[in-house]
Amino acid sequence: MKELKHFILVGAPASGKGTQGRFLADTFGLHSLSTGSLLRREVESCTELGRKALSYMDRAMLVPDEIVNDMVRGWLSEMDHGAWLLDGYPRTVAQAEALDHFLNQRGTSVDVVVWMDVSRELIEQRIMRRRECSTCGYVVQTPEEECSKCGGKMVSRKDDNMEAFARRWKDFEAMTLPVARYYEARGLVVKMTVSEEREPADVSRDLARKLEEYRQ
Ligand code: AMP
């Protein structure tokens, strides 16, 4: 049986990565890193890194590989032997190669890549409804005003509008789908195809079953 300690979650914006990421973290006891959330925190704290990242994020563009690679390496170095999940990274093949190189040097590797394959139509519907907690980052698919986790204020993300979505989708197809294929060629992918709205708990159940099969 394969040991599953190092997870990667790949998927378009609003494909359910955040929700399934939390499920995986709870089920497998993983420390998780969402590069998007970390970047947004850097922006809010007005750090040097946040300032650099903001000019790209404001235009719904990918932040340059070197910035994100450094950030992720820093985080992974602190993880040491822990089990982890990366959500929203790698987003380009260059990032995937940099990650492989970094892990190889430390004598370790990615164990499994969960690919959330969700149709564009479904994602468009979701994006217009999505709200995120400005305090804890909790994401919901309904236009709520108060966070059910911490009571914080729920807001629309700046990049959740159709124009920004069109750009992010284009980047996703051009740059991130090749990442899924990069890992697929290595036999590391568990693919979840979602073509119509389903309860997150049902998707999690399917995902758990597929991971069990993959592990054998
Ligand atoms: P997300 O919350 O994952 O949708 O990320 C929000 C924004 O952060 C993206 O639109 C990018 O500008 C930036 N970002 C997050 N992760 C990455 C990454 N791996 N590479 C480049 N930019 C990223």
Side-chain angles (χ1 to χ4, degrees), residues 18-171:
T19 310
Q20 298 311 325
R22 269 188 298 278
F23 166 74
L24 290 170
D26 290 347
T27 308
F28 292 88
L30 312 170
H31 298 278
S32 56
L33 173 70
S34 151
T35 45
S37 303
L38 192 56
L39 284 166
R40 279 189 290 279
R41 277 204 293 278
E42 295 280 343
V43 169
E44 275 152 27
S45 315
C46 300
T47 62
E48 173 71 16
L49 197 154
R51 207 178 42 74
K52 278 191 203 150
L54 183 62
S55 60
Y56 298 92
M57 294 169 79
D58 258 356
R59 287 174 287 160
M61 285 168 69
L62 290 183
V63 173
D65 290 337
E66 315 80 68
I67 297 182
V68 191
N69 286 341
D70 276 353
M71 205 171 76
V72 174
R73 281 192 207 115
W75 187 83
L76 285 175
S77 302
E78 283 170 21
M79 271 310 110
D80 217 16
H81 297 294
W84 46 256
L85 171 125
L86 300 177
D87 165 4
Y89 179 93
R91 270 269 241 279
T92 65
V93 171
Q95 290 177 14
E97 287 169 348
L99 176 65
D100 271 355
H101 181 68
F102 177 76
L103 295 176
N104 281 343
Q105 280 179 330
R106 299 166 76 91
T108 176
S109 59
V110 170
D111 297 322
V112 62
V113 176
V114 174
W115 176 3
M116 299 298 297
D117 180 27
V118 180
S119 72
R120 178 172 177 159
E121 295 68 35
L122 192 53
I123 286 178
E124 277 177 347
Q125 289 167 22
R126 284 184 182 177
I127 269 192
M128 298 321 284
R129 293 196 308 248
R130 177 158 80 168
R131 298 288 182 278
E132 183 177 66
C133 176
S134 53
T135 308
C136 72
Y138 183 58
V139 176
V140 292
Q141 299 296 336
T142 44
E144 285 161 27
E145 291 187 359
E146 193 176 287
C147 176
S148 61
K149 298 277 172 201
C150 77
K153 188 167 175 249
M154 301 301 280
V155 292
S156 281
R157 274 171 42 172
K158 238 188 184 166
D159 51 2
D160 275 355
N161 59 67
M162 276 307 145
E163 198 189 315
F165 172 71
R167 177 190 279 279
R168 292 163 84 204
W169 182 268
K170 215 167 123 228
D171 279 353

Side-chain angles (χ1 to χ4, degrees), residues 154-211:
M154 301 301 280
V155 292
S156 281
R157 274 171 42 172
K158 238 188 184 166
D159 51 2
D160 275 355
N161 59 67
M162 276 307 145
E163 198 189 315
F165 172 71
R167 177 190 279 279
R168 292 163 84 204
W169 182 268
K170 215 167 123 228
D171 279 353
F172 170 73
E173 279 194 320
M175 301 201 243
T176 308
L177 268 186
V179 171
R181 305 223 166 85
Y182 170 91
Y183 288 120
E184 204 169 34
R186 288 162 177 70
L188 290 173
V189 168
V190 167
K191 188 171 171 183
M192 293 297 299
T193 303
V194 185
S195 54
E196 56 191 57
E197 206 58 83
R198 295 181 63 206
E199 287 299 320
D202 293 335
V203 178
S204 299
R205 208 174 25 248
D206 286 357
L207 176 56
R209 205 193 54 238
K210 286 197 173 189
L211 282 168

